[in-house]
Amino acid sequence: MTLDQAIAGRRSVRGFLTREVPAATIREVFELAQTAPSNCNIQPWISHVVSGDSLRALGRKMVEAANAGVAPDPDFTADRKFAGAYRERQVDAAVQLYGAMGIERHDRPRRDWAYRRNLEFFGAPHAVFVFMFGEFEEREAVDLGIYAQTLMLAFTSRGIASCAQGALSLYPSIIRDHLGLDASNRILYGISFGYEDVSAPANAARVGRVSLADSVIFHR
Ligand SMILES: Cc1cc2nc3c(=O)[nH]c(=O)nc-3n(C[C@H](O)[C@H](O)[C@H](O)COP(=O)(O)O)c2cc1C
């Protein structure tokens, strides 16, 4: 696969097979992603890769919290309301996803269920939780974003599907307790990964992009 094919072929997958990715392949991807650039080369990402029973147990804890009505308490603001064109893009993505899953716009219980699937990693056998040191803010978050895409492209080129998930940062204390981390580790996002279940309805969703003219301005 060429780099262009990996970039164009990567998409968010929300239904996985239980089959695990070989440990050596996972290591290879994380080794490669270590080459991601960062401001002053500080490499602020702290990644915890969780698999197997430990991942299932962590998922259960987060789902139990959500079902019990525990309010999310993310380390970074996660409740921004989008407006205008951004809101339209958000709604369009939701229409594509819930449409593929056969969930009506006002079917709140099924939409909630679909959202909770985030906390179960959409059935993926692996997830990486990406933290950064407590005092870091936007500038270091840029580095973590570049790192995320580097990971996902390296996965794609090996036939491994993934989904970046802000939703995996909603219950940080549960994750920190589970992994034995202190509060100086603040979580920005998680990425579920594994092999795509092509029969999962959610995976039929395709979201578009705005045209270049709406995003890129060329000057000379
Ligand atoms: C930082 C980040 C956080 C995201 N959080 C979630 C999430 O919590 N749940 C989810 O289903 N998708 C999440 N996504 C996936 C986006 O919805 C997806 O990237 C977008 O709709 C474009 O679709 P594509 O990835 O298939 O191209 C996230 C993506 C990014 C980059």
Side-chain angles (χ1 to χ4, degrees):
M1 190 182 284
T2 65
L3 177 60
D4 286 10
Q5 286 168 335
I7 293 171
R10 184 219 55 81
R11 63 189 167 76
S12 297
V13 161
R14 299 180 180 88
F16 293 85
L17 303 177
T18 52
R19 179 162 62 96
E20 294 202 358
V21 177
T25 307
I26 296 177
R27 262 201 104 75
E28 195 178 88
V29 166
F30 280 87
E31 285 278 5
L32 196 56
Q34 284 299 106
T35 64
S38 56
N39 189 9
C40 298
N41 198 30
I42 62 164
Q43 305 159 67
W45 48 85
I46 304 165
S47 291
H48 288 262
V49 184
V50 187
S51 306
D53 291 345
S54 180
L55 187 69
R56 300 273 80 84
L58 175 54
R60 272 195 302 276
K61 289 181 197 172
M62 290 194 289
V63 168
E64 275 165 22
N67 287 344
V70 176
D73 185 23
D75 294 328
F76 300 92
T77 311
D79 58 358
R80 184 185 304 290
K81 299 276 178 271
F82 298 112
Y86 301 108
R87 174 70 183 152
E88 281 169 28
R89 295 172 195 174
Q90 180 187 32
V91 169
D92 183 62
V95 166
Q96 298 305 323
L97 177 60
Y98 294 125
M101 298 176 81
I103 300 176
E104 301 287 336
R105 183 157 188 189
H106 299 291
D107 187 347
R108 188 39 67 195
R110 289 198 70 211
R111 285 176 76 111
D112 286 349
W113 167 81
Y115 195 73
R116 297 266 158 89
R117 290 285 293 152
N118 269 284
L119 306 177
E120 297 173 316
F121 322 106
F122 304 115
H126 313 279
V128 54
F129 298 86
V130 185
F131 296 81
M132 59 183 190
F133 171 63
E135 290 171 9
F136 291 164
E137 292 291 352
E138 288 91 340
R139 285 179 188 281
E140 293 77 20
V142 171
D143 301 336
L144 264 67
I146 293 169
Y147 175 73
Q149 173 73 334
T150 307
L151 278 176
M152 291 191 289
L153 294 181
F155 282 137
T156 303
S157 77
R158 286 163 178 76
I160 300 161
S162 62
C163 187
Q165 292 169 258
L168 292 183
S169 69
L170 295 180
Y171 294 103
S173 31
I174 293 177
I175 299 170
R176 275 190 287 266
D177 281 354
H178 189 80
L179 300 176
L181 302 173
D182 66 37
S184 71
N185 295 272
R186 294 205 298 164
I187 182 167
L188 202 54
Y189 60 81
I191 304 176
S192 296
F193 63 93
Y195 298 106
E196 177 175 357
D197 176 357
V198 292
S199 71
N203 290 340
R206 294 289 182 277
V207 293
R209 296 293 191 270
V210 297
S211 70
L212 212 57
D214 288 325
S215 292
V216 184
I217 299 105
F218 297 95
H219 301 265
R220 57 185 299 146

